[in-house]
Amino acid sequence: MTKITSRREFLKLGGLSLVGVAIAACGGAAPAATSAPAAKSAVTLEIASKGEELLYDKDTLTAPAGSSITLKLKNNSSALQHNWVLVKAGKSDTVAADGLAAGEAANYVKEKDANVIAHLAIVKPGETGTITFDAPAPGSYPYICTFPGHYVLMKGTLIIK
Ligand code: CU1
């Protein structure tokens, strides 16, 4: 009787210790997963349209390399629609033309355009659009509004350094 009891006790303890091992394994994995990715510096860039003009209020924006950029575009117009499209150097004309061809349903940006680094959807009058993206490699990148007729005037440069 004593032996059987002790075997039961043994099995109980064994079972409990296995549960303990399983919990310890889970507990050990969780902190590693959360602490693994290096923290990126986050920057917020704010830009707005200039009243009823076809202009952004800033022609230059700057952000550090390796940062996570949150860009906010406030549309200050009461009637005009705008977007914000970050393009690869020297590709503004191409992106604007392709955006025009893509049309309103595509927010005037060609789908999966390899020349586009990041872009907002069309921002309606009085509204604010927000997008978060990883800073591209150090350099200068043009940003443009691809709404029909705006691109020629509505542009600027994002400097990553
Ligand atoms: Cu615009």
Side-chain angles (χ1 to χ4, degrees):
M1 290 295 279
T2 320
K3 270 189 178 178
I4 292 166
T5 309
S6 69
R7 271 183 197 161
R8 278 180 184 163
E9 289 301 320
F10 177 76
L11 288 172
K12 252 190 206 174
L13 286 170
L16 283 174
S17 70
L18 281 176
V19 169
V21 167
I23 289 167
C26 288
T34 51
S35 64
K40 260 184 201 165
S41 67
V43 291
T44 299
L45 302 177
E46 294 187 10
I47 190 168
S49 63
K50 255 185 169 176
E52 307 309 319
E53 294 181 86
L54 297 181
L55 291 172
Y56 292 117
D57 67 346
K58 289 171 188 157
D59 55 17
T60 305
L61 296 171
T62 307
S67 61
S68 171
I69 300 171
T70 295
L71 180 121
K72 293 183 177 184
L73 168 65
K74 169 87 165 55
N75 185 346
N76 284 322
S77 170
S78 61
L80 300 166
Q81 299 181 60
H82 300 296
N83 66 3
W84 186 91
V85 183
L86 185 64
V87 308
K88 290 184 179 171
K91 298 295 181 185
S92 296
D93 291 341
T94 308
V95 168
D98 288 345
L100 200 56
E104 186 179 2
N107 289 291
Y108 302 106
V109 178
K110 187 175 97 178
E111 194 182 352
K112 292 174 184 169
D113 191 335
N115 293 320
V116 171
I117 297 162
H119 73 90
L120 276 175
I122 289 291
V123 180
K124 291 176 182 169
E127 295 186 357
T128 298
T130 303
I131 186 179
T132 299
F133 59 96
D134 291 337
S140 293
Y141 302 87
Y143 56 82
I144 59 175
C145 174
T146 58
F147 191 90
H150 293 198
Y151 150 62
V152 175
L153 293 166
M154 210 162 173
K155 57 175 78 176
T157 306
L158 170 64
I159 299 163
I160 304 294
K161 57 184 177 187

